[in-house]
Amino acid sequence: MGGMTSPGTASPAPHAFTVGFDLDMTLIDSRPGIKATYEALSAETGTWIDADEAVTRLGPPLDDELANWFPQERIAEMADRYREIYPTYAIEPTPAMRGAREAIEAVRALGGRAIVVTAKHEPNARLHLAHLGIEPDAVIGWLWAEAKAGALRAYGAQVYVGDHVGDVRGARTAGALSVAVPTGPCPEPELREAGADVVLADLTALPAWLAEYVRTRPEAAPVAQEA
């Protein structure tokens, strides 16, 4: 089982095969939970937030969305409050994306390591994964777009799977293969234009693609699966 470590708590051990995953709209459908949290924040503050519109823009940092509804001087305060109430409203109604568990298991079946690199507040990301029984080997939060590259390089990720053009940029900055799924706000043409190396319909297609990738990659070699 994965221990869900982060770079601040343990040094990643050398590993022959590591796949990174985005969280929102890649591994989890966070729209119901995020909508509920925005609605609660709106009710609490008396500030109108169009939660239905907000969940069409998932991916970028929370502050970017809050800037649509609050003045600049209140964003930090509102972001803290959002994160504080998030576990109450967002964890229970958020399901896994189709194929999410199988995608993580496919990496392990190939002797690899699966990590999650997300812009989400790391403690809340961990709550989602624990609630859904998805157990990556590490979770690294607070990273968006190109900033994800540091964590991907630290763990030696050869592949990064995400749903947003920001994920494509993060993978390319890290020198990792960008595998995109159009299950979030970015359609396939937009992902390809951003430079995605591979676009799959959804995560259910990932296990077969991964098996072929591992079989044919130049550095491929037998890797003993960890106990």
Side-chain angles (χ1 to χ4, degrees):
M1 279 187 189
M4 296 209 300
T5 59
S6 67
T9 59
S11 297
H15 209 281
F17 181 53
T18 299
V19 178
F21 292 86
D22 175 51
L23 184 63
D24 286 7
M25 303 312 299
T26 300
L27 289 174
I28 66 172
D29 183 351
S30 50
R31 290 172 296 184
I34 289 176
K35 178 182 176 180
T37 307
Y38 277 130
E39 288 173 342
L41 185 67
S42 178
E44 181 179 301
T45 61
T47 298
W48 165 243
I49 299 173
D50 188 335
D52 288 311
E53 181 181 349
V55 298
T56 68
R57 297 190 285 251
L58 300 184
L62 172 63
D63 287 13
D64 290 9
E65 182 59 42
L66 291 175
N68 293 310
W69 315 108
F70 293 96
Q72 186 63 38
E73 64 271 14
R74 295 198 69 198
I75 290 176
E77 173 197 354
M78 291 299 99
D80 286 345
R81 183 57 182 156
Y82 174 98
R83 296 184 186 107
E84 183 178 3
I85 66 175
Y86 187 94
T88 300
Y89 295 98
I91 304 303
E92 185 65 33
T94 296
M97 295 295 282
R98 198 163 70 99
R101 295 179 184 86
E102 294 82 357
I104 299 292
E105 291 165 4
V107 176
R108 296 243 177 78
L110 293 166
R113 176 176 57 183
I115 65 172
V116 172
V117 183
T118 174
K120 190 178 288 296
H121 182 48
E122 189 174 307
N124 289 340
R126 290 171 180 272
L127 287 174
H128 276 300
L129 293 164
H131 176 72
L132 294 170
I134 299 173
E135 298 183 328
D137 296 282
V139 179
I140 307 97
W142 293 93
L143 298 176
W144 160 241
E146 289 84 355
K148 293 186 175 188
L152 295 172
R153 284 194 295 259
Y155 279 87
Q158 294 97 337
V159 175
Y160 185 60
V161 184
D163 68 284
H164 199 283
V165 293
D167 300 322
V168 176
R169 300 202 306 269
R172 294 180 67 84
T173 302
L177 196 73
S178 170
V179 176
V181 286
T183 50
C186 301
E188 179 176 346
E190 190 174 345
L191 294 165
R192 290 195 183 278
E193 185 178 353
D197 297 295
V198 177
V199 179
L200 304 174
D202 59 27
L203 287 182
T204 63
L206 188 68
W209 180 87
L210 274 176
E212 182 66 10
Y213 169 74
V214 169
R215 186 182 71 80
T216 59
R217 64 194 175 116
E219 67 275 25
V223 179
Q225 187 171 1
E226 294 180 318

